[in-house]
Amino acid sequence: MAQDSLNIQHFEQEVTDSPYRVEAVCVECGADLIAVIGGGERYHCGALGLTLTLASLKDADSLTHSTYQIPVPGHKEEALAREGSLLLARRLGRNVVLSVGIHEDDLSKEGIQRYSEAFYVLVERIGQAYEA
């Protein structure tokens, strides 16, 4: 199927007990998906996850996934970028690039948990939107 334009979608998810949210802009680039997720007080690029979806060497009818990550020094989003790109690639059967940057000053452990929960709800919504 030929695609002559980029399909762009925007998603938002409120963070429980916070005035902030996490949001994503997703771009279908041919068969691949690129997603940028930011949230909190200051959006940024904290980490990047790339998950490649390939035919298995043992069974060409099944897919395998390899994930690569690039953390920005001093940021804590590495696990979110890695896990989010892997979740989306497995679900969608395509290559996924995911950039994550979420920041709020003086965040408690409970606050981090609320942002993580909002992040995974957002990833689920993205997966639902792009499923075939």
Side-chain angles (χ1 to χ4, degrees), residues 9-15 21-26 33 35-39 43 84 87-88 91 98-102 114-130:
Q9 293 192 54
H10 181 258
F11 303 87
E12 293 183 13
Q13 179 62 45
E14 298 299 320
V15 177
R21 63 178 175 245
V22 291
E23 56 185 314
V25 173
C26 300
L33 181 67
V36 177
I37 296 179
Y43 296 21
L87 286 168
L88 289 169
R91 182 173 190 160
L98 178 60
S99 171
V100 182
I102 301 169
R114 288 192 297 270
Y115 273 101
S116 292
E117 290 167 1
F119 171 85
Y120 286 109
V121 169
L122 189 64
V123 167
E124 173 67 19
R125 291 181 54 218
I126 293 167
Q128 289 173 353
Y130 285 101

Side-chain angles (χ1 to χ4, degrees), residues 23-126:
E23 56 185 314
V25 173
C26 300
V27 179
E28 279 185 297
C29 188
D32 303 321
L33 181 67
I34 301 168
V36 177
I37 296 179
E41 294 173 323
R42 188 172 63 248
Y43 296 21
H44 61 281
C45 182
L48 185 78
L50 165 64
T51 299
L52 301 177
T53 300
L54 306 165
S56 170
L57 294 176
K58 293 182 181 180
D59 178 7
D61 292 330
S62 64
L63 299 176
T64 186
H65 302 89
S66 295
T67 301
Y68 304 89
Q69 53 201 31
I70 302 171
V72 175
H75 294 269
K76 308 286 188 211
E77 292 90 354
E78 186 174 350
L80 295 177
R82 180 183 64 248
E83 294 167 15
S85 70
L86 182 57
L87 286 168
L88 289 169
R90 283 182 174 159
R91 182 173 190 160
L92 303 175
R94 58 168 73 180
N95 297 330
V96 174
V97 174
L98 178 60
S99 171
V100 182
I102 301 169
H103 180 85
E104 184 176 331
D105 287 336
D106 303 319
L107 199 57
S108 67
K109 285 185 180 184
E110 294 79 14
I112 292 169
Q113 181 63 33
R114 288 192 297 270
Y115 273 101
S116 292
E117 290 167 1
F119 171 85
Y120 286 109
V121 169
L122 189 64
V123 167
E124 173 67 19
R125 291 181 54 218
I126 293 167

